[in-house]
Amino acid sequence: MKFYPLASTLILGFGILSAPALSVADGLPDLGEAAQAEFSPAMERRIGESVMLDIRRDPAWLDDPEVNSYLNRLGNRLAAQSAEARQEFEFFALRDTTLNAFAMPGGFIGVHTGLILAAASESELASVLAHEISHVTQRHLARLVNKSGQGQVTSLLALAVAILAARSSPDLAMGAAMAGQGAAIQNQLNYSRDFEREADRFGLGVLERSGFDIRGMSSFFERLQKFGRLYENNAPGYLRTHPLTTERLADMGNRIQSRPYRQVADSLEFQLVRAKLRAQDGTPRDAVTEFETRLKDRSFAGSEAAVRYGLAQAQLRDRNLAAAEKQMGELRRLKAVSPMIETLAAQLRLKQGDAAGAVKILRDAQPRFPQERAIAYGLVESLLEARQPQQAIKVTEDELLNYPSDAKMHALQAQTWSLLDKRLQQHRAQAESYVLLGQLPQAVEQLELAQKAGDGNFYEQSQVDSRLRELKKRLADEAKQPKLPK
């Protein structure tokens, strides 16, 4: 049985108490809160944020700002077309070859890299996100809990996790369902199928209003079903956690037939993200061979630029810098425009020992793509490589004025202050990074080190003291919150 720490944490966070081998994460609302009041959006968000702290530490977490930025642009484009959306969403990728995606409480939606690569078009990928968004906006988890009454909250939380949240591990999801009260679980399974039909219906509307081809939903689900029939014992996890019945497919087909046909071209970013993920698969040599074969056969799937980009990524990974440089030249010839191409060009310069060249590329790109976090990160790293920490500090300060909740930028700022031998500022910046990652004890430790650094002025020292008192109070308040029994 394949267990994911992130899925295990999710189940623990919901408080499935009847599984004797499971312990419960601290700081989450106990069952009394869920039983005495409605399962509110605020409570859902709190649970989701708590789970995300562990997900970000999971080995499967894909810490790639370009992939996650693309998913968030795509997901928020869809969410903006949902009339029921009243909350923020966060989309993220997990490095996993299985075909799966899952929605968690509070608007957090995960997508396996295997599913991104399996999507034949951007509309197909968008259809999966639209379906998951609809699970969240229709508050399926809350409806299960609030419908149950106080006596069945534990079992229904178990069911909710099993059918809505623990999608990254279908076997674990089944274990979660079995951990609840069997009769109550079985009585709600038809309701879960109703949820799937409702998510289909709302998802189709979101997909259409967002300008995608709604046929992407039926084509992707039908392909998954065929795959499941061919490999019955190894069916895609998405099918095992989303009951895909003939009735559902027929209902989707009927709704789609009544709407006009719309052909939608894939965005270059969709193609580049897939090429980047594919270039990271297997050995570097295998990745190079795959893209070279596609280039030779002119198997571009609509984008020669994406194939050449993927080949350059694979060649860079294979340390063949001259070959990667040649592909960058071809990308320039094709006049392909994307921040991902600029960051790749800068990475290539860094590998060639030309940090100044990388800085120039990214400085030129920043005004064209001001919201791209990967360009900002790359610029700071390139300035540090070019031994220009003062310029790097200025970039971090400017970026944090616009994006104060950027944990990675705070960490880069800490690294830069360290090179400037500014210990108080280093520990202070690192503390802010830890706060944003939900690691309050580590943040307090960093601020205590900042207090002892002895290289700050009165104003800076006072800021550290004030922030330290604030975080210690937060820790004390959290310690007073009721915890689930172990």
Side-chain angles (χ1 to χ4, degrees), residues 311-332:
L311 179 55
Q313 282 277 10
Q315 289 167 334
L316 181 60
R317 187 178 165 215
D318 199 34
R319 301 181 182 180
N320 190 341
L321 304 185
E325 186 67 46
K326 180 180 178 182
Q327 292 307 317
M328 283 304 308
E330 290 297 315
L331 284 169
R332 299 302 189 194

Side-chain angles (χ1 to χ4, degrees), residues 205-216:
V206 166
L207 200 61
E208 185 174 39
R209 290 191 296 275
S210 301
F212 290 102
D213 179 7
I214 59 175
R215 286 159 180 77

Side-chain angles (χ1 to χ4, degrees), residues 266-280:
D266 296 334
S267 70
L268 178 59
E269 280 67 32
F270 169 73
Q271 298 286 0
L272 293 179
V273 164
R274 284 164 43 85
K276 184 177 187 178
L277 293 175
R278 204 173 294 282
Q280 295 170 350

Side-chain angles (χ1 to χ4, degrees), residues 194-209:
D194 288 340
F195 282 172
E196 292 299 324
R197 286 192 292 270
E198 187 173 59
D200 290 340
R201 185 170 68 254
F202 280 91
L204 278 172
V206 166
L207 200 61
E208 185 174 39
R209 290 191 296 275

Side-chain angles (χ1 to χ4, degrees), residues 200 204 217-218 221 244 247-257:
D200 290 340
L204 278 172
M217 182 175 284
S218 60
F221 283 178
L244 183 58
E247 180 187 358
R248 271 186 67 199
L249 285 174
D251 185 50
M252 267 189 279
N254 291 335
R255 292 178 185 277
I256 288 170
Q257 284 179 1

Side-chain angles (χ1 to χ4, degrees), residues 247-376:
E247 180 187 358
R248 271 186 67 199
L249 285 174
D251 185 50
M252 267 189 279
N254 291 335
R255 292 178 185 277
I256 288 170
Q257 284 179 1
S258 65
R259 288 170 165 90
Y261 175 74
R262 173 188 286 168
Q263 187 173 9
V264 180
D266 296 334
S267 70
L268 178 59
E269 280 67 32
F270 169 73
Q271 298 286 0
L272 293 179
V273 164
R274 284 164 43 85
K276 184 177 187 178
L277 293 175
R278 204 173 294 282
Q280 295 170 350
D281 274 351
T283 67
R285 190 64 244 168
D286 287 344
V288 168
T289 300
E290 177 182 349
F291 282 105
E292 285 180 337
T293 300
R294 291 177 61 185
L295 200 58
K296 180 181 177 181
D297 296 342
R298 302 193 65 79
S299 176
F300 298 147
S303 177
E304 179 182 351
V307 175
R308 292 193 180 277
Y309 170 86
L311 179 55
Q313 282 277 10
Q315 289 167 334
L316 181 60
R317 187 178 165 215
D318 199 34
R319 301 181 182 180
N320 190 341
L321 304 185
E325 186 67 46
K326 180 180 178 182
Q327 292 307 317
M328 283 304 308
E330 290 297 315
L331 284 169
R332 299 302 189 194
R333 178 185 63 81
L334 292 169
K335 298 182 179 180
V337 178
S338 168
M340 295 179 68
I341 293 173
E342 303 307 322
T343 56
L344 176 57
Q347 290 168 20
L348 184 54
R349 287 285 184 271
L350 286 177
K351 291 293 184 181
Q352 293 168 332
D354 183 11
V359 169
K360 184 179 186 309
I361 289 171
L362 294 172
R363 281 213 184 274
D364 290 344
Q366 198 170 35
R368 297 161 57 202
F369 309 104
Q371 296 182 336
E372 283 301 321
R373 310 312 301 138
I375 286 180

